[in-house]
Every structure is written in C-alpha cells, then in structure tokens.
C-alpha cells in the first residue's frame, strides 16, 4: 500500500535524522549539525519527502474516486440486468444473452431497443415484443440482402451521407408523407452515439470504432426502422411497416439502377466483339495475378480467382493505380461487380473475382478512365484493354500482339 509505506518511510527518515519525533513536535540539537549547509540539505530532504507523501495521497484519493465511479456503474448495470431477468421470467424466455457490443454494431439483424424507445410511443414490454418480431421474422430472413445492399452503397464498410442519399433515392423512399428534410434528421439521429448512464438514462459518448457522420450496419438498420415508422400510417405495428417497406421498396429497387443498365451495355454485339478479341490475353493476365497473393494459406487456396490485393498488384504493374483511380475507387468498383453474387451465404469466394467478373471490372475501369460521353463505350473499352492493360504486360507475360486500335489519345 503506497500511503502506509510512504508514511512509515517518512517517520523513519525524520526519526533517524532529527533524533526527536514525539507529540507532533520536532526539536533540533544544533551540536549535531556541523554547519548551515548540512542543515539546508537536511531541510531539503524533509521537503522532498513531504511532497512525495502528498503526491501519493492525491493518487490514492483519485484512485478511490475512480473505483467508486466504477462501482456505481456496476450497480446500475446489475439493476438493469435484474429488471431484464424479471421481464424474461414473466414472459417465459431465456434471460441469458452473450452478445458482444461489436457484434451488435456490425449486425444487420439486431436492433437497440433503447434507441427505438425514443420515437416509438410504446410501453417497454411492447417495444421488446416488436423488437423480437423485427429481429427474428423481418430482418433475419433478409440479412444477406441487407448486407449486400450496404456493401454496394458503402464500399468501405461505413455509409456516408452521400451514399445514404443515393440509397434513399434508388429505393424511392421519399413520399408525400416523408419529405427530404426528414431523411437528413434520421441520418443524424441514427449516427448520434449514446450510452446508458445512471438509472437507465442516455448520455452522449464517443466510440472510436464508430466514425462521426457515417453509418455502421446497426445504425443503417435503425435508419430503415425510423423511415418505415414515418412512411406508413400510425395504426400499424412497426414490424409490419418495416416488413412492407423492405419487400415493396428496398429489396426490389436497391443496387439495380445503374448495374443492370451497365451489364446490359456489356451484352451488346459491339461490346461482345471487343471483349472477345482479346479474351486469350486477358485470361493469361487473369491466371497470372490470381496466383500473385501467397501471403497467407487462405489466399494461396484461391489460385483460380482474384482478390482485391491481386487486382491492386496488377493495376500497379501497368501504372493505373494512383492519380484518377485510387484504392478507394478500386474497392468500390470491386464490390459493385460482385453485387449479383449468389445468396448462398458468406463464403470466402464472395471476396474473389472469377474471370467473367474480372472482364466486367476492366470494362468499368475503362469507362472510369475514359469518361468522354461522345466516344462510343465499346471504343473506350477497346483502347483501354489494348493500350493500358495488354501492351504494358506484353513482354512480361508473353502476350500476343494486341489488335491495332485507335481513336482515343493517351492521357
């Protein structure tokens, strides 16, 4: 114990140096102090000892206050958990849950009841009932779809206001009942970070894993609930409103606006001819870089598909990654290409490109690199493949001579 040990040290020090330590009075025998310098040194040592003791007392007091605050938080948590157990016993449910906060933050089928209580004018038991229905019967069946939609619009795992608004417009969520300003309010409310404080009250907090002005998955799901709540008539349960909005507007319209048009454009006769004439060279490039990532055993297993790291290596080899196309843009295009992957679960293959997706991705980058709308799309893709992809890798991979192209000056 630092306080008691420091007091003992100070007492022994004074007793040894002074010789008298009783009844809170100190007496000096000047015959034991040969000169003023020695006395000055002695006093300095006493002052230093007292300062050390004072510092230790301050630390101990601060530590005690901190522990008292921790105990108060524990008491509040236990009081809330006791209430939860009593409610579960009344309803005949299992009260024990083992859910990590990070799992909730990254989940597409979990809701935070204390946040819903802010706008649902219901009793606590009614809110818990509606949350249970929404989690098990509405969100769980479409979890993979929500994850795919969020990935499409967010790109890097968090959704900014611009991406949020693109989602809102694609899904045709604005209506006569819900004006544009309401969506801005919902975005702000969902992004507001809080924690449960004393006696169940909510207080602002700062979560480093949850960036400001951007939505993480659980906040995105909360936004869906808030939008559904104000979009439909008040006489329907919130679980019914959310299910109707997901089935009628979100799932049919999300991710479909530009992607379907773009894939239809790749199926035109002119585009098929362009993509077909260099297919052999592109397949050689694809196979070579599919085996480029051997940093882990997991990556080494996928020798016939291309991950984002391998794609990045390829584009760096041809000097395309940098000005005009950075890694954030590349990751967004990489995710968009995979939006139509099967709904068979979250297998590792969902982070890998097959050859047909690789071709589609190259066409997307070509349009990104050569955006001039007055040049036909198939001509832009043709020039990009031959000049920017095949020509730089011709010697390294022993590729065949690309077909003679023209029409677009180099950057």
């Amino acid at each position: 114990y630092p306080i008691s040990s420091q007091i003992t040290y100070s007492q022994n020090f004074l007793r040894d140096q002074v010789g008298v330590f009783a009844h809170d009075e100190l007496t000096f025998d000047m015959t034991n102090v040969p000169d003023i310098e020695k006395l000055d040194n002695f006093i300095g040592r006493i002052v230093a000892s007292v300062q050390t003791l004072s510092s230790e007392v301050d630390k101990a007091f601060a530590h005690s206050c901190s522990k008292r605050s921790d105990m108060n938080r524990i008491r509040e948590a236990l009081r809330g958990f006791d209430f939860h157990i009593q409610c579960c016993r009344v309803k005949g449910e299992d009260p024990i849950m083992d859910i990590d906060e990070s799992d909730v933050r990254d989940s597409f089928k979990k809701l935070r009841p204390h946040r819903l209580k802010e706008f649902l004018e219901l009793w606590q038991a009614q809110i818990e009932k509606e949350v249970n229905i929404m989690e098990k019967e509405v969100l769980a069946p479409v979890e993979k779809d929500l994850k795919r939609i969020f990935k499409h619009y967010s790109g890097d795992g968090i959704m900014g206001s611009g991406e949020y608004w693109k989602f809102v417009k694609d899904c045709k969520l604005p209506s006569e009942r819900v004006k544009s300003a309401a969506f801005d309010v919902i975005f702000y409310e969902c992004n507001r970070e809080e924690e449960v404080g004393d006696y169940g009250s909510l207080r602002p907090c700062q979560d480093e894993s949850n960036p400001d002005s951007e939505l993480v998955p659980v906040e995105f799901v909360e936004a869906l609930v808030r939008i559904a709540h104000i979009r439909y008539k008040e006489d329907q349960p919130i679980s019914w409103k959310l299910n109707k909005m997901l089935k009628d507007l979100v799932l049919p319209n999300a991710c479909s606006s530009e992607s379907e048009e773009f894939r239809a454009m790749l199926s035109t006769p002119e585009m098929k001819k362009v993509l077909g004439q260099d297919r052999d060279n592109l397949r050689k490039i694809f196979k070579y870089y599919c085996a480029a990532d051997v940093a882990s055993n997991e990556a080494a297993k996928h020798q016939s598909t291309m991950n984002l790291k391998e794609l990045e290596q390829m584009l760096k080899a041809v000097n395309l990654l940098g000005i005009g196309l950075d890694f954030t843009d590349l990751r967004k295009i990489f995710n968009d290409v995979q939006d139509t992957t099967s709904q068979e679960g979250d297998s590792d293959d969902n982070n890998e490109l097959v050859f047909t997706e690789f071709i589609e991705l190259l066409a997307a980058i070509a349009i990104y690199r050569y955006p001039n709308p007055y040049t036909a799309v198939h001509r832009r893709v043709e020039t990009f493949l031959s000049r920017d992809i095949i020509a730089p890798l011709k010697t390294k991979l022993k590729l065949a001579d690309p077909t003679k192209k023209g029409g677009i000056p180099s950057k």
Side-chain angles (χ1 to χ4, degrees):
Y1 299 94
I3 296 179
S4 60
S5 62
Q6 185 59 43
I7 292 175
T8 301
Y9 166 79
S10 300
Q11 289 175 343
N12 293 337
F13 171 74
L14 293 174
R15 187 180 292 112
D16 293 341
Q17 296 296 323
V18 178
V20 179
F21 184 72
H23 307 292
D24 298 329
E25 293 182 359
L26 299 177
T27 304
F28 289 91
D29 184 358
M30 294 303 294
T31 60
N32 295 329
V33 182
D35 50 37
I36 299 300
E37 182 179 354
K38 185 174 181 180
L39 177 60
D40 183 62
N41 180 53
F42 169 73
I43 294 175
R45 293 171 64 184
I46 292 179
V47 171
S49 179
V50 172
Q51 289 176 341
T52 302
L53 178 59
S54 175
S55 176
E56 292 295 336
V57 170
D58 290 341
K59 290 180 181 178
F61 181 75
H63 180 71
S64 175
C65 293
S66 175
K67 290 299 181 183
R68 182 176 298 177
S69 178
D70 291 341
M71 288 303 299
N72 288 337
R73 285 195 290 268
I74 291 173
R75 290 192 190 97
E76 292 300 325
L78 289 175
R79 188 179 293 114
F81 186 62
D82 178 64
F83 177 75
H84 167 73
I85 290 177
Q86 297 299 330
C87 292
C88 290
R89 284 178 177 175
V90 171
K91 294 184 288 185
E93 298 177 354
D94 183 7
I96 304 300
M97 296 183 298
D98 184 15
I99 301 177
D100 186 80
E101 182 64 25
S102 62
D103 295 335
V104 174
R105 185 182 64 246
D106 298 331
S107 175
F108 291 89
K109 59 179 181 180
K110 290 293 181 183
L111 294 168
R112 297 175 292 183
H114 69 275
R115 298 293 294 264
L116 305 187
K117 190 177 180 180
E118 298 175 4
F119 60 92
L120 295 178
E121 298 179 356
L122 300 173
W123 294 100
Q124 181 67 28
Q126 294 175 303
I127 291 179
E128 292 182 0
K129 178 181 177 181
E130 285 296 306
V131 167
N132 185 59
I133 294 174
M134 286 188 286
E135 289 183 346
K136 295 181 178 179
E137 300 180 16
V138 180
L139 296 174
V142 297
E143 179 186 13
K144 296 184 180 67
D145 291 303
L146 292 179
K147 186 178 295 187
R148 173 179 58 85
I149 291 170
F150 186 80
K151 182 179 179 181
H152 171 84
Y153 288 99
S154 66
D156 56 357
I158 49 178
M159 181 180 288
S161 60
E163 299 157 335
Y164 164 78
W165 263 106
K166 190 174 189 313
F167 162 79
V168 167
K169 293 178 180 179
D170 283 355
C171 294
K172 304 175 182 178
L173 296 180
S175 66
E176 292 183 0
R177 288 179 58 89
V178 190
K179 304 303 180 182
S180 297
F183 292 98
D184 287 329
V185 174
I186 289 174
F187 181 85
Y188 167 77
E189 291 295 331
C190 292
N191 192 64
R192 179 167 43 85
E193 299 168 23
E194 295 175 330
E195 63 181 3
V196 180
D198 297 339
Y199 304 102
S201 62
L202 298 179
R203 59 191 180 195
C205 69
Q206 183 64 36
D207 184 357
E208 294 181 358
S209 62
N210 185 356
D212 292 336
S213 303
E214 292 173 314
L215 301 179
V216 294
V218 71
E219 294 170 338
F220 170 68
V221 175
E222 180 184 328
L224 294 177
V225 177
R226 288 178 179 268
I227 294 171
H229 174 65
I230 63 176
R231 199 178 193 284
Y232 298 100
K233 294 182 179 180
E234 298 178 357
D235 58 350
Q236 295 292 346
I238 185 59
S239 56
W240 180 91
K241 296 178 182 179
L242 178 62
N243 185 63
K244 181 172 178 61
M245 188 181 77
L246 290 176
K247 295 294 176 64
D248 293 353
L249 297 173
V250 175
L251 297 181
N253 297 317
C255 310
S256 62
S257 56
E258 291 90 354
S259 60
E260 294 303 323
E261 296 177 5
F262 178 70
R263 290 181 178 106
M265 179 185 63
L266 296 182
S267 300
T268 61
E270 296 84 2
M271 189 65 72
K272 286 183 177 180
K273 181 179 179 181
V274 169
L275 298 177
Q277 63 190 7
D278 288 321
R279 183 171 293 267
D280 291 341
N281 284 334
L282 295 176
R283 189 175 291 277
K284 286 182 181 180
I285 296 172
F286 179 74
K287 287 183 176 180
Y288 178 83
Y289 283 99
C290 281
D293 185 10
V294 292
S296 64
N297 293 332
E298 190 63 32
K301 292 178 183 178
H302 298 84
Q303 296 292 307
S304 60
T305 54
M306 180 180 292
N307 61 32
L308 182 59
K309 184 177 180 180
E310 292 163 339
L311 178 62
E312 181 185 8
Q313 292 179 21
M314 186 201 78
L315 293 179
K316 284 183 177 179
V318 295
N319 297 319
L320 285 180
L321 198 60
I323 299 176
L325 179 70
D326 59 23
F327 182 76
T328 301
D329 299 325
L330 178 62
R331 180 169 51 189
K332 182 69 169 64
I333 297 173
F334 184 91
N335 291 333
D336 289 345
V337 167
Q338 295 186 306
D339 275 340
T340 56
T341 54
S342 63
Q343 308 298 315
E344 298 298 326
D346 299 325
S347 65
D348 293 333
D349 292 338
N350 286 345
N351 294 320
E352 303 271 340
L353 294 177
V354 296
F355 181 67
T356 54
E357 292 172 330
F358 173 69
I359 294 295
E360 180 180 327
L361 181 139
L362 291 180
I365 295 177
I367 297 174
Y368 194 93
R369 181 169 172 78
Y370 298 115
N372 186 354
Y374 296 102
T375 302
V377 173
H378 72 277
R379 294 293 295 163
R380 286 184 266 167
V381 173
E382 185 180 33
T383 301
F384 172 78
L385 293 178
S386 62
R387 178 182 299 169
D388 298 329
I389 299 295
I390 296 176
L393 297 174
K394 176 184 175 182
T395 303
K396 180 178 181 179
L397 302 184
K398 299 180 179 179
L399 304 176
D401 289 334
T403 307
K404 203 171 184 181
K405 312 292 192 279
I408 300 178
S410 60
K411 282 192 174 183

